[in-house]
Amino acid sequence: MITLALSKGRIFDDSLPLLRAAGIEVLEDPEKSRKLIIGTSRPDLRVVLVRATDVPTYVEHGGADLGVAGLDVLLEHAADASAGSGVALYRPLDLKIARCRLSVAVREDFDYESAVRQGSRIRVATKYTHCARQHFAAKGVHVDLIKLYGSMELAPLTGLADAIVDLVSTGSTLKANHLLEVERIMDISSRLVVNPAALKLQREPIRALIDAFEAAVNKA
Ligand code: PRT
Ligand code: MG
């Protein structure tokens, strides 16, 4: 049995066409069922539904053989010392789905350029503390990082922070909250990650699955 970890929402939705192109149908709609383990049209493949941020943990510890996770999640996970098992994930494939970018945004009336130029400390609220720290360190900007788990957009509006580092796709969330994207840190997409031990133990079927995903990505 091969176990694939997906998160509900955009990763599940964007993975479906790739699975379909690989000849795999998922047998249940996670929005309608409360099941956390769902079968597929392939008797030897099942899907487990986990939080987006838990996908690397499942794959790393063998709770799943493969998983789909955003590069944002993978980078933060890898940097998280408490994750510390040291088991590297085999990251073979950019699925080019759930695409967005990691950006810096500020209030429309905040002068980011001079704040950064003057070398003053800025307060940055984000869920992506590792990526944010690296970004500002590379620019030589002093930051006080404030870790948040959601609704980052609120931080500059309430005076909690001067800036946020968050994912942006259409930009409409920023716009609705009168925030401006002032810097693009990196482009993000989701990756297929694989447990290296699983790849060794079930080389043939897992390799075939990776190849099928790859063909589907190239066709998309
Ligand atoms: O929602 P939950 O707390 O359960 O977990 P999650 O937010 O980690 O999961 P999910 O499903 O929302 O995101 C999974 C992955 O999708 C992320 O790890 C990213 O790699 C990718 N992705 C792609 C996005 C977006 N686009 C995106 N727009 N993740 C989040 N957003 C959010 C963003 O944080 C902001 O709040 O959408 C808002 C901005 O969207 P626009 O279109 O208004 O710019
Ligand atoms: Mg979300």
Side-chain angles (χ1 to χ4, degrees), residues 1 3 7 36 42 180 200 212-213 219-220:
M1 177 64 74
T3 303
S7 54
L36 298 175
R42 261 181 63 171
L180 275 183
K200 261 190 210 133
F213 266 108
K219 221 165 47 180

Side-chain angles (χ1 to χ4, degrees), residues 2-215:
I2 300 172
T3 303
L4 170 69
L6 298 176
S7 54
K8 279 213 265 190
R10 66 189 107 219
I11 288 193
F12 183 88
D13 298 344
D14 290 3
S15 295
L16 275 190
L18 293 178
L19 286 165
R20 200 162 286 148
I24 299 160
E25 291 291 333
V26 177
L27 299 179
E28 234 148 331
D29 176 355
E31 300 303 331
K32 289 187 187 135
S33 136
R34 286 178 178 273
K35 282 194 190 164
L36 298 175
I37 302 180
I38 48 188
T40 73
S41 53
R42 261 181 63 171
D44 67 334
L45 178 70
R46 64 179 186 174
V47 169
V48 292
L49 297 171
V50 304
R51 283 294 291 264
T53 41
D54 290 336
V55 168
T57 307
Y58 267 82
V59 176
E60 204 171 71
H61 295 279
D65 302 309
L66 310 93
V68 177
L71 181 60
D72 50 314
V73 166
L74 293 172
L75 292 175
E76 292 296 323
H77 178 84
D80 186 359
S82 70
S85 71
V87 184
L89 292 170
Y90 178 57
R91 189 189 307 175
L93 195 57
D94 183 354
L95 298 177
K96 299 181 182 164
I97 58 168
R99 290 173 105 144
C100 57
R101 54 198 186 267
L102 186 69
S103 292
V104 183
V106 298
R107 267 168 65 151
E108 285 166 356
D109 58 3
F110 181 78
D111 188 352
Y112 180 69
E113 287 313 315
S114 30
V116 163
R117 195 172 345 106
Q118 285 159 7
S120 50
R121 296 190 82 85
I122 62 167
R123 291 167 308 149
V124 177
T126 186
K127 181 169 154 185
Y128 308 98
T129 47
H130 171 72
C131 291
R133 184 173 293 116
Q134 267 202 334
H135 173 70
F136 289 106
K139 289 165 69 78
V141 173
H142 300 288
V143 286
D144 291 317
L145 288 174
I146 302 166
K147 170 89 181 185
L148 289 179
Y149 292 90
S151 303
M152 262 81 82
E153 297 85 4
L154 199 54
L157 305 179
T158 54
L160 180 69
D162 303 311
I164 60 172
V165 167
D166 194 9
L167 300 175
V168 181
S169 49
T170 61
S172 54
T173 306
L174 292 181
K175 204 167 168 206
N177 292 292
H178 305 286
L179 299 174
L180 275 183
E181 185 178 3
V182 285
E183 224 172 347
R184 178 190 280 237
I185 300 176
M186 68 175 88
D187 289 326
I188 301 282
S189 58
S190 288
R191 313 293 157 112
L192 183 68
V193 289
V194 183
N195 176 290
L199 185 58
K200 261 190 210 133
L201 289 169
Q202 305 189 73
R203 175 161 280 282
E204 293 285 297
I206 291 182
R207 197 68 252 178
L209 198 55
I210 296 170
D211 291 345
F213 266 108
E214 184 159 29

